[in-house]
Amino acid sequence: ESHSCISNSVSSISVETESLQQQIDELSTFSDTPAPSVTRILYSEKDVLARRYIKNLMGLSGLSVREDAVGNIFGRWEGYEPELTAVATGSHIDAIPYSGKYDGVVGVLGAIESLNVLRRSGFKPKRSLEVILFTSEEPTRFGIGCLGSRLLAGSEALAKALKNTVDGQNTSFFDAARSASYAKDHEDLSSVFLKKGSYSAFVELHIEQGPILEEEGISIGIVTAIAAPASIKVDFEGNGGHAGAVLMPKRNDAGLAAAELALAVEKHVKDSGSIDTVGTVGILELHPGAINSIPSKSHLEIDTRDIDEKRRNIVIEKIHQSAITIAKNREVRLSEFKIINQDPPALSEESIIKAMEVASQELNLTHKLMISRAYHDSLFMARISPMGMIFIPCYKGYSHKPEEYASIEDIANGVKVLALTLTKLSLV
Ligand code: HGY
Ligand code: MN
Ligand code: MN
Ligand code: MN
């Protein structure tokens, strides 16, 4: 009867698109910047409101809700063989400054709706199904991406580092967590770690954050691999001084050192020999930041990624060499060159790729295999569980900006593929 319930479920599954769109719109109002932008930073008051909103939706869907010490939230639909490892799906709801309302959100609200779709179709899960809201996928507040999923994947290094991590306002990670009513009784985060094999499968629904699906008119992206991300923090220091009085030969301008390094990043990335290597200097701060004062300090943060880990690491090496050479030539001090993260890529599990392909075929949806150039919580869940990702098209591939958009039809397609994929993985 399990096969029959899958086959007739294709015809009987339907997504409640109005309420899903309404939820996306409502969630986007929990923001520190005006619409259409969304800014929702980890443990901020808006983040706490958004978390409450999601927990309420999980409750309304009959899921049992639990939260861990850093605020990863789990909504569980118990299966009829609860002793088997569960199948999980989920994503994030934190949003970088002035971004959009679909990144991450589609994979949380869509996951809850996919369980509603299954419940409404009369499906009974054998393996329990869990929706996970990962704490802080974005690096905005504490400089490290996928903070929640890295800890779930058992990162001792991160658990240790968080003990003396502060944000830009000098608030410690634990003070921020406690202000959102997490990490109350202890600073030992090993309680967050999940053992390898805790889930039989993890699948994340996400907007593509790239233009391919929309350009090629394809409804579903089936992710085969997630690119390898890395981030570096660099500080230069010089003597600074009066913009009028100090003549050029006497200067050691920390701002120009940063500018030269930013251009060196672009050069090394373009010279990598592959279009798949990318590099970005998204943060470049000058101190004291006065028009008539020669920058005495500069701080830049570099994001570089590639689907080939070795090629990416060669770029990091070259960036480091450039920083040292620039400092020497300009007689400034390279006071910090810190690699924050240098992660390997992740491969999706063959059996989950297969399940997503079959689900797309059953739904008559065009689909294609592709890589994810953005990182996701799936990159870390892949360390403790077989992983898969479903992409849906987004407008011109825009993301991390207010123009980010995905149509409710495309979102509904993603929710249906997720729902059918979950049935297959749950009945294994
Ligand atoms: O930056 C990323 O790739 C992710 O969207 N945070
Ligand atoms: Mn059967
Ligand atoms: Mn993002
Ligand atoms: Mn995301």
Side-chain angles (χ1 to χ4, degrees):
E1 103 292 345
S2 61
H3 290 295
S4 62
C5 94
I6 294 182
S7 51
N8 74 25
S9 71
V10 178
S11 51
S12 71
I13 63 169
S14 73
V15 175
E16 290 197 351
T17 48
E18 285 83 54
S19 66
L20 183 50
Q21 182 63 60
Q22 207 179 20
Q23 289 162 17
I24 292 170
D25 297 340
E26 265 179 310
L27 191 60
S28 71
T29 64
F30 302 118
S31 165
D32 282 322
T33 49
S37 79
V38 179
T39 300
R40 190 163 48 241
I41 307 302
L42 173 63
Y43 299 144
S44 65
E45 173 240 333
K46 297 296 186 338
D47 182 33
V48 170
L49 290 172
R51 289 163 175 273
R52 201 173 297 157
Y53 182 80
I54 297 293
K55 282 185 276 187
N56 179 46
L57 284 180
M58 287 179 166
L60 292 175
S61 296
L63 306 180
S64 54
V65 180
R66 77 173 179 86
E67 302 182 83
D68 70 15
V70 293
N72 290 309
I73 301 174
F74 305 80
R76 184 183 177 90
W77 179 6
E78 192 86 331
Y80 56 79
E81 292 190 23
E83 70 291 347
L84 296 177
T85 48
V87 174
T89 178
S91 194
H92 64 100
I93 59 166
D94 59 322
I96 71 172
Y98 293 96
S99 59
K101 61 183 189 180
Y102 297 90
D103 173 6
V105 166
V106 162
V108 176
L109 293 175
I112 296 170
E113 175 57 13
S114 76
L115 268 49
N116 295 339
V117 163
L118 292 180
R119 197 186 293 278
R120 289 196 293 267
S121 76
F123 175 73
K124 295 271 174 285
K126 178 168 102 176
R127 290 174 179 276
S128 302
L129 297 176
E130 276 200 9
V131 175
I132 306 177
L133 186 167
F134 295 98
T135 256
S136 188
E137 188 267 357
E138 300 293 0
T140 312
R141 184 159 188 183
F142 293 102
I144 182 83
C146 297
L147 185 145
S149 46
R150 278 177 200 273
L151 288 171
L152 286 173
S155 170
E156 304 268 359
L158 179 56
K160 197 161 150 283
L162 288 174
K163 288 193 165 92
N164 38 46
T165 296
V166 293
D167 67 7
Q169 281 68 40
N170 239 349
T171 305
S172 77
F173 171 79
F174 282 94
D175 283 349
R178 275 189 280 269
S179 76
S181 79
Y182 295 117
K184 276 193 290 280
D185 43 359
H186 52 71
E187 303 215 341
D188 158 27
L189 295 179
S190 58
S191 64
V192 175
F193 298 169
L194 293 179
K195 276 188 278 316
K196 203 166 164 48
S198 303
Y199 290 111
S200 65
F202 173 78
V203 181
E204 179 170 6
L205 170 62
H206 205 287
I207 56 170
E208 178 196 339
Q209 295 177 306
I212 298 170
L213 292 175
E214 183 185 62
E215 274 169 6
E216 297 181 12
I218 293 177
S219 302
I220 296 291
I222 294 174
V223 172
T224 54
I226 302 174
S231 64
I232 310 165
K233 284 187 178 175
V234 182
D235 288 333
F236 288 110
E237 285 176 21
N239 300 333
H242 193 293
V246 181
L247 299 179
M248 298 314 277
K250 290 266 187 256
R251 295 186 180 200
N252 58 350
D253 184 331
L256 291 178
E260 194 171 344
L261 184 59
L263 290 172
V265 168
E266 182 192 33
K267 182 181 170 327
H268 295 320
V269 159
K270 284 182 163 176
D271 291 352
S272 83
S274 162
I275 191 70
D276 290 327
T277 321
V278 290
T280 314
V281 176
I283 293 176
L284 203 166
E285 291 156 353
L286 303 179
H287 177 83
I291 180 170
N292 55 353
S293 167
I294 303 165
S296 54
K297 272 200 207 124
S298 60
H299 171 79
L300 60 165
E301 299 191 18
I302 302 163
D303 173 314
T304 179
R305 317 179 188 196
D306 195 323
I307 54 173
D308 178 314
E309 185 179 6
K310 261 205 317 306
R311 205 167 44 209
R312 184 217 49 205
N313 290 343
I314 291 170
V315 164
I316 292 177
E317 241 329 286
K318 288 182 176 174
I319 291 171
H320 194 183
Q321 282 316 315
S322 292
I324 293 166
T325 311
I326 291 166
K328 203 157 94 325
N329 297 346
R330 292 182 172 275
E331 294 176 23
V332 296
R333 216 157 64 74
L334 174 59
S335 43
E336 181 171 79
F337 187 92
K338 190 171 173 208
I339 296 178
I340 301 300
N341 65 288
Q342 192 171 358
D343 301 301
L347 294 179
S348 304
E349 180 75 19
E350 269 314 309
S351 61
I352 299 178
I353 291 175
K354 196 86 215 95
M356 295 190 282
E357 281 179 319
V358 170
S360 303
Q361 281 149 8
E362 286 174 352
L363 289 159
N364 270 325
L365 292 171
T366 51
H367 53 282
K368 76 175 282 174
L369 298 181
M370 59 198 297
I371 54 156
S372 171
R373 298 186 186 282
Y375 61 75
H376 303 282
D377 292 305
S378 295
L379 179 66
F380 298 94
M381 288 306 282
R383 297 182 179 179
I384 52 170
S385 156
M387 172 280 288
M389 283 197 80
I390 301 164
F391 274 173
I392 58 165
C394 57
Y395 175 63
K396 289 201 167 115
Y398 288 163
S399 184
H400 284 190
K401 56 186 195 175
E403 298 80 1
E404 186 180 85
Y405 171 78
S407 71
I408 194 62
E409 293 72 29
D410 283 331
I411 296 171
N413 287 339
V415 170
K416 284 190 264 189
V417 171
L418 176 62
L420 282 192
T421 302
L422 292 176
T423 60
K424 298 171 195 320
L425 297 171
S426 169
L427 296 178
V428 164

